[in-house]
Amino acid sequence: MDESAAISYSPGLMSAPAPVRVRFAPSPTGYLHVGGARTALFNWLYARRTGGTFVLRIEDTDNARNSQAAVDVILSGLRWLGLDWDEGPLTGDADGPVKGAFGPYFQSRRGEIYRRRAEELKAKGMAYEKDGALFFRMTRDPVTIPDQVVGDVVRPLTDREAVDPDWVLIRSDGVPVFHFVNVVDDLEMGITHVIRGEDHLSNTAKHIALFRAFGAEPPKYAHIPLILNLDGSKMSKRDQGASVQSYVDEGYLPEAVINYLSLLGWSSKAATNELFTRDEIAPLFELADINRSNARFDLKKLEHFHFEHARRLSPERFVSIGVEALKKVGIETAGFDPAYVRAALLTAQEKGKLFKELPIWTDFYFVNDDAVVYDAEAKTKALTPASVSALEQLASRFQSLPEYTAAALEAALKGLATELGVKVGVLIAPCRVGCTGRTVGPSLYHLLEVLGRDRVARRLARARTVAAS
Ligand code: GLU
């Protein structure tokens, strides 16, 4: 037995670290920026890794710009990504329902708290009024910011601050400034770790001084590198991929967006590959593994992640997202046999296309056999008098198959091509265009199997008539 360990063990002196409480504190600007989503994700991951609490707080002190719709955009973006919060508002309404005991979670509803905290600083001699505004008596000494990502940072005073480092807490119009409300809320909400964008690093000296003025220990800070465009420029609202809503609209999988965002500024030494789900990343997520250098946003790489995740998706989830994507463009699948809908959509899964493109790949399954829309170019190329006989013979071979399976259909088509002494393409092109209207789509034999004997027979017959005319 290790005697020294036994002797030094003193449970009374060992206090467990406080449970982790982190927060995502967006200002409602009208959209959820991809950088904000990544900040939310890192906070979420850290909370889940540590068994802590993830708080959502709306920083809407700038009343003129904020609206319920702007908050709803944030909430729905987070929900789409699957980043569930343990505390915070449940709707974009500042007076609406919330969960958690540290509310209100909208700064616009916390005025009383800010006034009380301002009085406290005044009473301590740490704040004073001048010209109708309330100023904070900022420390004259340099403040070291102990940052978990960047390391210790000392922010030198600017020339102006060297003359007078004090700063406004509450403006003369009564509106408290960002630094003040941000710190008061982190304090009141018991936030233990502040994980946020590096653009806030330069504010942190003020924040730390304020915590100290309240006699409180500042939270631990982790400033995460910015997300830049591929060319190194700063990502603005108009840049492609800047808004989370654009991923929803384009039909990316949230799994892919999460996976990609997680790797924008973080990489795990413990991981053997880059493909993760949210729940696979969470146990690996260490603040120490956050990169120091800025990340560059690469839409091509995100597309690749979508492709990989779409192929790995459970059939149930692929089909349910697919049905919604079709509904969005007015294609109703409700009237069809669910087994048919499922089989039809699954023929497109292997392709890993964005869900926005799914209708192009699968719309033909959900039209009447006499209403298949032929792409004009495809029709000119494939449905010509020269293909009439091929369509006729193919239809009769297919019709006589004892089993209507992809393998049997393929054997029949190839067998016929050999007998006729033609390339398979000569048969494939009119068959595909006749059944789907297009030259591209899911694997031909699989889509024929799914359409089934009767649909295929009717479609080939119609194609033959069209080709002959
Ligand atoms: N409302 C601030 C922002 O959106 C949050 C700053 C912070 O996370 O402390 O940038």
Side-chain angles (χ1 to χ4, degrees):
M1 178 182 162
D2 182 343
E3 292 283 332
S4 61
I7 290 163
S8 65
Y9 176 67
S10 170
L13 293 177
M14 291 174 64
S15 60
V20 165
R21 289 180 59 83
V22 291
R23 81 317 189 258
F24 176 50
S27 309
T29 54
Y31 79 122
L32 179 56
H33 186 269
V34 69
R38 199 248 336 230
T39 299
L41 170 63
F42 281 17
N43 278 283
W44 183 93
L45 288 168
Y46 195 61
R48 295 296 169 262
R49 218 269 294 131
T50 56
T53 302
F54 175 49
V55 180
L56 174 63
R57 175 173 84 224
I58 306 300
E59 302 216 319
D60 62 341
T61 43
D62 191 355
N63 281 319
R65 260 193 349 195
N66 302 327
S67 68
Q68 175 165 347
V71 180
D72 281 331
V73 167
I74 294 169
L75 267 53
S76 69
L78 293 177
R79 287 195 175 111
W80 182 76
L81 289 165
L83 301 179
D84 49 314
W85 52 100
D86 306 307
E87 287 181 20
L90 296 173
T91 70
D93 177 2
D95 300 312
V98 302
K99 55 179 173 177
F102 291 77
Y105 292 95
F106 283 76
Q107 291 186 329
S108 57
R109 296 297 182 271
R110 297 174 63 81
E112 208 40 60
I113 297 168
Y114 305 137
R115 272 188 286 283
R116 175 167 52 75
R117 286 294 189 170
E119 285 307 320
E120 179 185 336
L121 291 178
K122 250 167 81 176
K124 283 182 165 172
M126 300 300 298
Y128 58 89
E129 272 176 65
K130 195 176 83 179
D131 305 331
L134 185 65
F135 284 80
F136 177 61
R137 216 180 279 288
M138 181 69 182
T139 166
R140 267 64 183 160
D141 300 322
V143 177
T144 303
I145 303 157
D147 191 275
Q148 314 253 315
V149 177
V150 188
D152 282 1
V153 180
V154 183
R155 179 179 162 270
L157 298 182
T158 62
D159 290 348
R160 206 182 58 78
E161 288 169 341
V163 178
D164 180 8
D166 297 354
W167 48 273
V168 173
L169 283 177
I170 299 182
R171 298 198 311 234
S172 52
D173 61 4
V175 178
V177 305
F178 159 70
H179 306 295
F180 179 52
V181 295
N182 185 265
V183 166
V184 167
D185 288 348
D186 284 345
L187 184 58
E188 294 267 342
M189 293 181 178
I191 299 303
T192 58
H193 294 70
V194 168
I195 305 168
R196 62 183 172 192
E198 205 178 272
D199 45 336
H200 286 292
L201 186 59
S202 60
N203 298 325
T204 308
K206 285 180 177 164
H207 298 183
I208 290 177
L210 207 43
F211 275 105
R212 296 210 172 116
F214 284 122
E217 198 45 45
K220 293 194 165 35
Y221 290 97
H223 285 92
I224 52 186
L226 299 182
I227 301 178
L228 305 175
N229 288 316
L230 258 192
D231 65 6
S233 62
K234 200 167 173 247
M235 221 177 175
S236 81
K237 186 172 178 169
R238 288 171 307 281
D239 285 314
Q240 210 187 9
S243 158
V244 169
Q245 187 59 38
S246 67
Y247 305 121
V248 181
D249 296 342
E250 291 291 313
Y252 284 91
L253 272 177
E255 285 90 333
V257 178
I258 287 283
N259 191 164
Y260 181 63
L261 289 184
S262 74
L263 297 172
L264 277 181
W266 170 84
S267 54
S268 170
K269 295 175 189 74
T272 48
N273 70 63
E274 286 201 319
L275 275 191
F276 302 104
T277 64
R278 214 176 57 137
D279 296 333
E280 286 164 353
I281 304 167
L284 302 173
F285 190 78
E286 302 289 348
L287 295 180
D289 290 337
I290 294 177
N291 307 333
R292 293 185 60 158
S293 51
N294 288 332
R296 294 194 185 211
F297 185 82
D298 183 352
L299 208 56
K300 279 268 161 305
K301 190 155 180 196
L302 174 56
E303 266 174 35
H304 169 73
F305 277 107
H306 172 87
F307 180 77
E308 295 295 343
H309 278 278
R311 288 168 22 140
R312 284 169 174 74
L313 219 54
S314 75
E316 289 66 36
R317 186 155 155 73
F318 185 87
V319 171
S320 85
I321 300 178
V323 164
E324 286 310 310
L326 294 179
K327 203 179 266 176
K328 246 186 180 170
V329 295
I331 301 173
E332 262 311 328
T333 56
F336 294 83
D337 175 8
Y340 173 73
V341 175
R342 178 188 158 99
L345 292 186
L346 291 182
T347 59
Q349 180 166 10
E350 257 305 294
K351 305 286 177 180
K353 294 278 173 193
L354 296 182
F355 281 97
K356 193 181 152 189
E357 296 166 75
L358 193 70
I360 301 175
W361 286 70
T362 59
D363 59 355
F364 65 86
Y365 285 115
F366 308 107
V367 295
N368 282 335
D369 300 318
D370 57 4
V372 173
V373 181
Y374 305 120
D375 171 78
E377 202 177 315
K379 185 179 155 195
T380 319
K381 267 199 208 142
L383 300 186
T384 60
S387 55
V388 170
S389 141
L391 282 164
E392 199 173 85
Q393 296 186 64
L394 207 49
S396 107
R397 291 290 163 105
F398 286 171
Q399 200 57 26
S400 63
L401 285 174
E403 288 202 1
Y404 214 78
T405 61
L409 288 154
E410 179 173 2
L413 185 142
K414 288 185 171 163
L416 180 61
T418 310
E419 282 171 37
L420 298 176
V422 297
K423 289 194 178 140
V424 285
V426 172
L427 301 180
I428 286 176
C431 181
R432 181 183 281 284
V433 175
C435 290
T436 72
R438 294 196 175 88
T439 51
V440 291
S443 145
L444 176 67
Y445 309 115
H446 288 93
L447 76 84
L448 292 175
E449 177 183 326
V450 172
L451 281 172
R453 196 186 293 273
D454 296 342
R455 284 194 186 89
V456 171
R458 285 192 291 267
R459 291 181 187 207
L460 290 181
R462 175 169 171 245
R464 206 179 61 206
T465 316
V466 171
S469 61

